[in-house]
Amino acid sequence: MTTHTKNTTNGESPEITLYTNHACPWAHRAHITLRTLNIPYKEVIIPLDRPRDPWYLEINPRGLVPSIKITTADGKLKDEIITESAVVSTFLAEMFPDSEFWPRSEEDPLMRARINFFVDTWFTKVNTFMYPILKAEGEEKETLGSQLVAAVKKEIEPLLENAGPFFGGSEHITLAEAMTAPFVIRYRAYIDGSLMPASLLKGLEALPNYSKWSKAVCGESSVTYVFDGPEISKRTAERLAKMKAEAK
Ligand SMILES: N[C@@H](CCC(=O)N[C@@H](CS)C(=O)NCC(=O)O)C(=O)O
């Protein structure tokens, strides 16, 4: 178990345990949120290459990471379990308010709507290409790669017009980045590991708003501190090879 002991922005000390695996993009969302909001936590790594232990299935009956367990210093929450990465990050953002990361609804409902729309767009219009590209080979990989670039150009580029460098003109990471950064940074690792075509990088770099934003995202320590690109790329390549062998 690793312990991260930074203080929270408001000085209170909740006890949070994050059940995670550093290879998981969904768990990565929780890491980014915890680190950005400066929330102390302990981490328990859940191995994903074997069936979950019964004790973990009691925490999360779905057997997935991430999950968190939280007890607050004021005793209002005692060993509460929260699961599902978007729910975990939004819960933390509301428990530990930081108006740059996720404004309170009464403060700025429009910004919340904009962030929600951005995240929805990323996952419905762009990220749907990621696994098909990873699985494809040769010409098909290239074609899907250019379709992803076209989707970023059409759907994401206009939403990043006022990025500064983060979403909505923010100088700091917002929930929009916490939700999408695990994938933005994986695209780079997959291109480096030849699992995604190099033409994808060229296409994305030619988009001025996305290019500036993604560079800022991938340079943030809250995004990089648990991310090992070559290792993730290697593991993904192994998983894909296994899936292909099983399909034969
Ligand atoms: N919708 C879930 C997805 C989480 C998820 O799929 N986690 C994967 C690792 S990346 C997992 O725990 N897989 C274990 C399994 O399927 O047995 C979330 O957003 O938290």
Side-chain angles (χ1 to χ4, degrees), residues 96-128:
F96 305 94
D98 172 333
S99 55
E100 304 240 38
F101 185 75
W102 178 237
R104 285 167 179 267
S105 53
E106 63 277 17
E107 226 172 55
D108 198 347
L110 183 63
M111 182 60 171
R112 288 162 70 109
R114 297 284 184 249
I115 289 176
N116 283 335
F117 182 74
F118 178 79
V119 175
D120 180 83
T121 303
W122 179 269
F123 286 97
T124 57
K125 306 289 184 194
V126 173
N127 214 56
T128 44

Side-chain angles (χ1 to χ4, degrees), residues 28-117:
H28 196 179
R29 286 173 152 186
H31 284 281
I32 296 168
T33 304
L34 287 160
R35 179 56 69 99
T36 303
L37 296 175
N38 216 11
I39 304 168
Y41 68 97
K42 291 174 192 161
E43 126 184 316
V44 176
I45 302 287
I46 305 297
L48 298 177
D49 51 3
R50 57 174 165 87
R52 293 315 87 75
D53 291 334
W55 70 264
Y56 187 62
L57 292 173
E58 276 177 31
I59 288 179
N60 184 354
R62 294 182 185 176
L64 303 174
V65 292
S67 306
I68 60 165
K69 183 163 78 179
I70 177 166
T71 297
T72 50
D74 62 11
K76 283 189 185 155
L77 302 185
K78 180 138 182 45
D79 290 344
E80 292 292 343
I81 304 289
I82 320 278
T83 61
E84 284 296 314
S85 60
V87 179
V88 167
S89 287
T90 310
F91 167 80
L92 291 169
E94 295 190 344
M95 277 293 291
F96 305 94
D98 172 333
S99 55
E100 304 240 38
F101 185 75
W102 178 237
R104 285 167 179 267
S105 53
E106 63 277 17
E107 226 172 55
D108 198 347
L110 183 63
M111 182 60 171
R112 288 162 70 109
R114 297 284 184 249
I115 289 176
N116 283 335
F117 182 74

Side-chain angles (χ1 to χ4, degrees), residues 189-230:
Y190 291 148
I191 291 165
D192 289 346
S194 304
L195 296 177
M196 282 182 151
S199 57
L200 179 66
L201 181 63
K202 226 170 137 208
L204 292 176
E205 280 184 345
L207 304 175
N209 301 340
Y210 180 83
S211 167
K212 182 174 138 205
W213 174 77
S214 64
K215 269 195 193 90
V217 166
C218 296
E220 268 297 299
S221 62
S222 63
V223 174
T224 56
Y225 81 104
V226 291
F227 185 73
D228 181 346

